[in-house]
């Protein structure tokens, strides 16, 4: 027997066998932790999931030619659990608010073995509206000072929690108000049942309680003087290994934001079906002049705000140090903007800020159940239209007005109203309405609607 020839033949046979064996495709997980109930995060979570947007942008060439993508969405009530799952290696991306984002970056850096990168914004309000403090609708409280000696529940570690700490400190109430840790659904339920004096939460929970008629906002996040926003973090090792996948997720996010901007009513109705948040609440956020601005760019203002927030977190919760220079990385987002044909530098330079008496917006709107949204040139004109609708039996989903002083969009039924001369104006807070009123009279929406001549007995 020729052992040499047999050996060569055997090797050749093995080689041919190996060559004919298909190469196993790499399985690439895209694990995204998001918060479907949070309006500022939907463009980085539930809209991507329901419209299958990520699939449109995933790389399919080069090292990704045979990739098998496993896209996983995990829904949470708040940001901290998302960070825990990312630390455990069970999620790759996290979509959360400003304070949880900071804690995410700091906790990863503290570990020393892995880090995250802050790569995009999903939604913002420059004034801080979205965070708010609500009391039961029949509570006598009108301001934070009325909560001295009482308790506020809030999701501890959230953006609303951070706002609450700052607000109480600014008002000199930090040692006079007890803070209780409660999730958004639990806090909202306790407000409805009158089991808690006040509840502080992030978007859109204050407005959910207002719309349902269970709560009344006494403090808006804009009063704290810092913006609120949500964004996306990714594990640094994941971004380093799959930069094109990270870009794909961000390209999908840009499309989701444009989808919302293109048709806010459609977006409100669809997201409502997916999440259970009332479409009227979502329209308050998504519409022109609404609370949320869908803009992914990482502006210097956001980094400055997070540095301020980080200092507060270190003082209150001993959060670890955070190297912002290493953590903030918009390079993937710049690539996504370029791929979409968008100017990233222009986006950074553009800031949407509410404008009182904004001439580009109708002062009042009615969302008719059968005929959609209709704008009106004044609050008085809207009231006339609603009275007519009541007479004809036309159903109304909601009405919308703007705060006279800030330009923030409000539910018509949640505002306070006052006249100065012939002008009828809406206000988020009662004291501001009192200051505006010529005769000191302040009206609820029910009163101003039922009394065309303002002859109803105004609340004092």
């Amino acid at each position: 027997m020729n052992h040499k020839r047999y050996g060569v033949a055997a090797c050749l046979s093995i080689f041919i066998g190996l060559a004919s064996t298909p190469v196993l495709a790499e399985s690439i997980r895209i694990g995204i932790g998001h918060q479907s109930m949070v309006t500022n995060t939907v463009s980085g979570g539930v809209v991507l999931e329901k419209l299958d947007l990520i699939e449109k942008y995933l790389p399919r060439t080069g090292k990704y030619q045979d990739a098998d993508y496993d896209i996983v969405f995990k829904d949470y009530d708040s940001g901290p659990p998302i960070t825990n799952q990312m630390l455990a290696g069970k999620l790759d991306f996290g979509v959360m608010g400003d304070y949880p984002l900071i804690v995410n970056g700091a906790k990863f850096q503290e570990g020393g073995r892995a880090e995250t990168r802050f790569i995009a914004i999903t939604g913002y309000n420059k004034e801080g509206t979205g965070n708010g403090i609500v009391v039961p609708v029949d509570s006598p409280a009108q301001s934070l000072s009325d909560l001295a000696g009482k308790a506020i529940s809030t999701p501890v570690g959230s953006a609303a929690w951070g706002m609450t700490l700052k607000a109480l400190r600014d008002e000199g109430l930090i040692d006079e108000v007890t803070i209780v840790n409660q999730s958004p659904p639990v806090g909202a339920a306790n407000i409805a049942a009158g089991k808690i004096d006040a509840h502080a939460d992030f978007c859109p929970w204050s407005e959910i309680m207002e719309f349902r008629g269970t709560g009344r906002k006494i403090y808006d996040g804009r009063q704290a003087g810092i913006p609120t926003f949500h964004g996306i973090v990714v594990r640094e090792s994941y971004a380093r290994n799959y930069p094109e996948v990270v870009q794909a997720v961000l390209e999908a996010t840009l499309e989701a934001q444009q989808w919302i901007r293109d048709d806010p009513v459609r977006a409100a109705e669809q997201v409502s079906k997916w999440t259970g948040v009332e479409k009227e609440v979502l329209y308050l956020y998504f519409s022109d002049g609404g609370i949320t601005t869908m803009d992914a760019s990482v502006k210097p203002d956001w980094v400055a705000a997070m540095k301020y927030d980080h200092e507060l977190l270190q003082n209150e919760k001993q959060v670890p140090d955070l190297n912002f220079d290493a953590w903030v990385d918009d390079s993937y987002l710049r690539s996504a903007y370029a791929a979409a044909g968008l100017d990233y530098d222009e986006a950074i330079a553009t800031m949407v800020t509410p404008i009182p008496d904004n001439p580009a917006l109708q002062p009042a709107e009615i969302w008719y159940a059968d005929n959609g949204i209709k704008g009106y040139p004044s609050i008085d004109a809207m009231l006339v239209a609603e009275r007519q609708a009541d007479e004809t039996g036309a159903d109304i989903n909601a009405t919308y007005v703007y705060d006279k002083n800030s330009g923030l969009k409000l539910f018509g039924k949640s505002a306070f109203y006052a006249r100065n001369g012939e002008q009828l104006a809406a206000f988020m807070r009662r004291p501001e309405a009192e200051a505006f009123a010529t005769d000191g009279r302040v009206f609820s929406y029910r009163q101003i609607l039922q009394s065309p001549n303002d002859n109803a007995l105004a609340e004092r």
Side-chain angles (χ1 to χ4, degrees):
M1 179 179 291
N2 189 327
H3 294 282
K4 185 174 181 180
R5 286 184 59 194
Y6 175 82
V8 171
C11 290
L12 183 60
S13 175
I14 293 172
F15 176 78
I16 293 173
L18 290 173
S20 63
T21 301
V23 177
L24 293 177
E26 180 182 9
S27 179
I28 300 176
R29 184 189 66 189
I30 304 173
I32 299 176
H34 67 109
Q35 302 166 74
S36 67
M37 292 286 288
V38 180
T39 43
N40 278 0
T41 70
V42 296
S43 65
V46 68
V47 176
L48 303 184
E49 178 182 11
K50 299 301 183 181
L51 298 184
D52 294 325
L53 294 183
I54 293 177
E55 288 87 337
K56 294 174 58 176
Y57 299 98
L58 289 173
R60 304 288 182 182
T61 60
K63 72 176 185 178
Y64 302 102
Q65 182 174 352
D66 298 312
D68 178 20
Y69 292 108
D70 179 22
I71 303 176
V72 179
F73 289 89
K74 296 290 186 180
D75 198 359
Y76 298 88
D77 287 337
S78 61
I82 299 176
T83 290
N84 293 337
Q85 292 297 298
M86 293 181 72
L87 284 166
K90 296 180 179 180
L91 289 172
D92 310 300
F93 297 82
V95 190
M96 59 190 83
D98 37 24
Y99 279 82
L101 285 168
I102 294 164
V103 174
N104 178 284
K107 281 191 173 182
F108 266 89
Q109 284 189 5
E110 180 186 38
R113 298 191 307 274
E115 295 187 10
T116 57
R117 293 292 181 259
F118 173 51
I119 57 174
I121 295 290
T122 51
Y124 75 83
N125 183 282
K126 181 181 180 296
E127 301 298 302
T129 295
N131 294 322
I133 299 176
V134 172
V135 296
V137 69
D138 57 355
S139 169
Q142 296 291 337
S143 65
L144 277 186
S145 60
D146 295 328
L147 297 179
K150 300 183 182 300
I152 296 178
S153 68
T154 188
V156 170
S158 70
W161 169 81
M163 173 210 66
T164 301
L165 289 179
K166 185 178 188 302
L168 293 176
R169 181 179 288 107
D170 290 348
E171 296 280 337
L173 297 169
I174 193 69
D175 296 321
E176 298 186 41
V177 176
T178 302
I179 295 179
V180 180
N181 185 20
Q182 286 185 339
S183 70
V186 172
N190 284 336
I191 284 290
K195 293 182 178 179
I196 191 75
D197 299 308
H199 179 70
D201 223 321
F202 43 79
C203 59
W205 284 96
S206 294
E207 290 74 26
I208 287 176
M209 288 180 273
E210 285 184 322
F211 182 74
R212 294 175 181 174
T214 59
R216 176 169 48 80
K217 188 186 295 186
I218 63 168
Y219 188 91
D220 183 74
R222 70 181 175 90
Q223 295 171 251
I226 51 175
T228 185
F229 50 88
H230 289 66
I232 304 174
V233 286
V234 62
R235 290 190 295 111
E236 187 275 335
S237 59
Y238 186 95
R240 183 170 11 95
N241 290 333
Y242 308 114
E244 295 86 358
V245 174
V246 175
Q247 179 180 325
V249 171
L250 296 181
E251 287 183 73
T253 299
L254 293 178
E255 181 174 342
Q257 292 177 331
Q258 188 61 50
W259 179 80
I260 293 170
R261 291 194 298 265
D262 284 345
D263 192 338
V265 173
R266 174 197 62 189
E269 291 174 337
Q270 283 292 98
V271 175
S272 178
K273 292 177 182 178
W274 298 333
T275 66
V277 178
E278 290 85 346
K279 61 183 182 297
E280 296 85 357
V281 174
L282 293 166
Y283 180 77
L284 179 63
Y285 274 82
F286 295 162
S287 57
D288 290 344
I291 296 173
T292 291
T293 298
M294 296 290 171
D295 172 5
S297 64
V298 181
K299 304 180 194 300
D301 303 66
W302 308 151
V303 179
M306 287 193 291
K307 289 180 178 179
Y308 173 88
D309 295 341
H310 179 249
E311 183 178 347
L312 175 66
L313 284 167
Q314 287 200 305
N315 292 335
E316 297 292 340
K317 297 291 287 184
Q318 292 75 55
V319 168
D321 292 339
L322 177 57
N323 180 346
F324 281 87
D325 291 337
W327 182 57
V328 178
D329 184 356
D330 63 358
S331 62
Y332 306 97
L333 187 59
R334 285 182 177 275
S335 297
Y337 266 74
L342 301 173
D343 189 329
Y344 185 73
D345 291 326
E346 180 181 352
I348 286 179
T350 302
M351 180 73 77
V352 175
T353 304
I355 301 173
D357 298 322
N358 189 339
L361 300 172
Q362 293 272 40
E365 291 179 322
I366 294 178
W367 189 344
Y368 292 94
D370 295 328
N371 297 314
I373 305 287
K374 183 176 180 181
Y376 295 89
S378 68
I379 295 174
D380 277 314
M382 179 192 73
L383 294 171
V384 169
E386 181 160 1
R387 294 182 192 115
Q388 292 173 344
D390 185 58
E391 292 173 0
T392 60
D395 291 333
I396 290 176
N397 292 333
T399 59
Y400 303 91
V401 294
Y402 294 90
D403 179 74
K404 173 69 175 174
N405 289 345
S406 68
L408 292 168
K409 199 164 193 172
L410 314 171
F411 283 121
K413 70 177 184 179
S414 300
F416 295 96
Y417 296 85
R419 287 195 185 276
N420 189 299
E422 294 298 316
Q423 183 183 18
L424 176 64
F427 296 86
M428 178 182 292
R429 300 177 63 245
R430 180 184 175 86
E432 293 169 357
E434 291 174 339
F436 176 82
T438 302
D439 57 6
R441 295 198 299 170
V442 175
F443 299 86
S444 69
Y445 189 68
R446 177 184 56 81
Q447 288 176 317
I448 203 74
L449 180 63
Q450 294 179 352
S451 179
N453 297 317
D454 296 355
N455 290 324
L457 178 63
E459 296 176 328
R460 292 292 182 179

